[in-house]
Amino acid sequence: MTNLNRRSFLEKTALGFSASFGFSNMATALFANAEEKYKGIPIGFQTYPIREMLGKDFAGTLKTMANFGYKTTELCSPAGYAQSGFGFLGKLKNAEIKSIISDAGLSCPSCHFGKAEFTPDKIDKSIEFAQEMGLSQMVLSTFWLPKAVSLNDYKIESEKLNKSAEKIKAAGMQAGFHNHDFEFKMLEGELIYDVILKSLDPDLVKLQFQTQVIQLGYKAADYFKKYPGRFISAHLSDWTTDKKEASVGEGIIDWKDFFANTKTGGLKTIFVEMNFDKFEGSIKNINKMNVKR
């Protein structure tokens, strides 16, 4: 049954309940619940691209994003990103941050943390913040290693992350690792990203895939199939053939292939990460796609 026919069927069924039995509220709930079940993973947004807007009007900007149709958000740690545009969050108590997000109609299951926040002397404090925020995912933004390193350096950093992830798991959350384009380069005859995946404990650390690497020829769906169950999240962005940012669904990425393999990859959350002017078009395009996620 196509999505259009399915929607028509559900609408008629709902109207039938309402007309025949007077259960208008039941009919509305039936339709809404069926649609939500069909869609699956809610679409969220990463806060980094709009950090300046959030700093000027945190509550108002979150409500704008919710009005676009976003359901969740992914923060950047107030401590780790204080010098990168999130210092304003340090002026608020964690309970206040959580309340403002909730009042906007959003939930916040995930947050990015800097490398220093996952060190032995800082990990407990980071976990405390995550627990107070009600997070289920703590994502390391990357290792931020200099260019003049070896594959062994990446393996060492991966093992450090495994150790931090043990504590995160014990605290009831999932650790994650976010890629940038520099992990998709060859070093000593191997792709850095593949070496990182082989070095990370599959149970302790899941991956957050950034679709921007399509510019380098790498597809998220291919990795979901190559490493099933290894991913927890993804950052969505789309790009034209000449590498210009486009709203999701208006670039070169095959989104039907992407969403068809999210379950295989293991994704629990999805966040659009683009310039502000692309956010509204992206969520509208995603909601129009006849895909399961």
Side-chain angles (χ1 to χ4, degrees), residues 214-231:
I214 190 67
Q215 297 182 82
L216 301 176
Y218 296 96
K219 296 170 57 179
D222 289 345
Y223 269 85
F224 296 162
K225 289 179 281 189
K226 183 177 180 180
Y227 297 99
R230 293 292 304 274
F231 297 83

Side-chain angles (χ1 to χ4, degrees), residues 16 21 28 30 33 43 48 50 63 67 75 93 100 104 114 121 126 129 144 158 162 167 176-177 199 204 220:
F21 303 101
T28 301
L30 171 65
N33 290 340
I43 300 297
Y48 192 81
I50 56 173
K63 289 177 182 177
N67 288 337
L75 276 184
K93 294 180 179 179
I100 292 171
D121 60 328
S126 298
F129 166 77
W144 297 114
S158 296
N162 286 335
K167 284 197 167 187
F177 176 82
S199 302
L204 295 175

Side-chain angles (χ1 to χ4, degrees), residues 6-46:
R6 182 180 180 281
R7 180 182 289 273
S8 177
F9 168 77
L10 287 167
E11 288 175 337
K12 290 177 181 178
T13 301
L15 289 173
F17 273 121
S18 179
S20 300
F21 303 101
F23 296 153
S24 59
N25 291 336
M26 181 185 295
T28 301
L30 171 65
F31 179 71
N33 290 340
E35 283 298 292
E36 189 62 30
K37 183 177 180 181
Y38 175 71
K39 289 182 178 179
I41 303 173
I43 300 297
F45 63 94
Q46 225 293 336

Side-chain angles (χ1 to χ4, degrees), residues 200-212:
L200 292 174
D201 186 311
D203 180 53
L204 295 175
V205 184
K206 302 296 182 183
L207 289 304
Q208 182 181 73
F209 198 94
Q210 182 162 282
T211 64
Q212 183 182 352

Side-chain angles (χ1 to χ4, degrees), residues 62-115:
L62 291 177
K63 289 177 182 177
T64 295
M65 298 300 289
N67 288 337
F68 284 163
Y70 289 96
K71 305 297 183 183
T72 66
T73 186
E74 182 178 56
L75 276 184
C76 291
S77 163
Y81 286 77
Q83 304 303 316
S84 301
F86 288 86
F88 70 95
L89 289 178
K91 301 175 183 178
L92 301 173
K93 294 180 179 179
N94 295 338
E96 291 178 291
I97 298 173
K98 185 177 180 182
S99 179
I100 292 171
I101 293 172
S102 178
D103 288 346
L106 299 165
S107 62
C108 181
S110 181
C111 183
H112 268 209
F113 294 83
K115 178 181 176 181

Side-chain angles (χ1 to χ4, degrees), residues 260-271:
N261 288 284
T262 54
K263 184 176 180 180
T264 298
L267 270 65
K268 305 297 182 185
T269 52
I270 294 174
F271 304 103

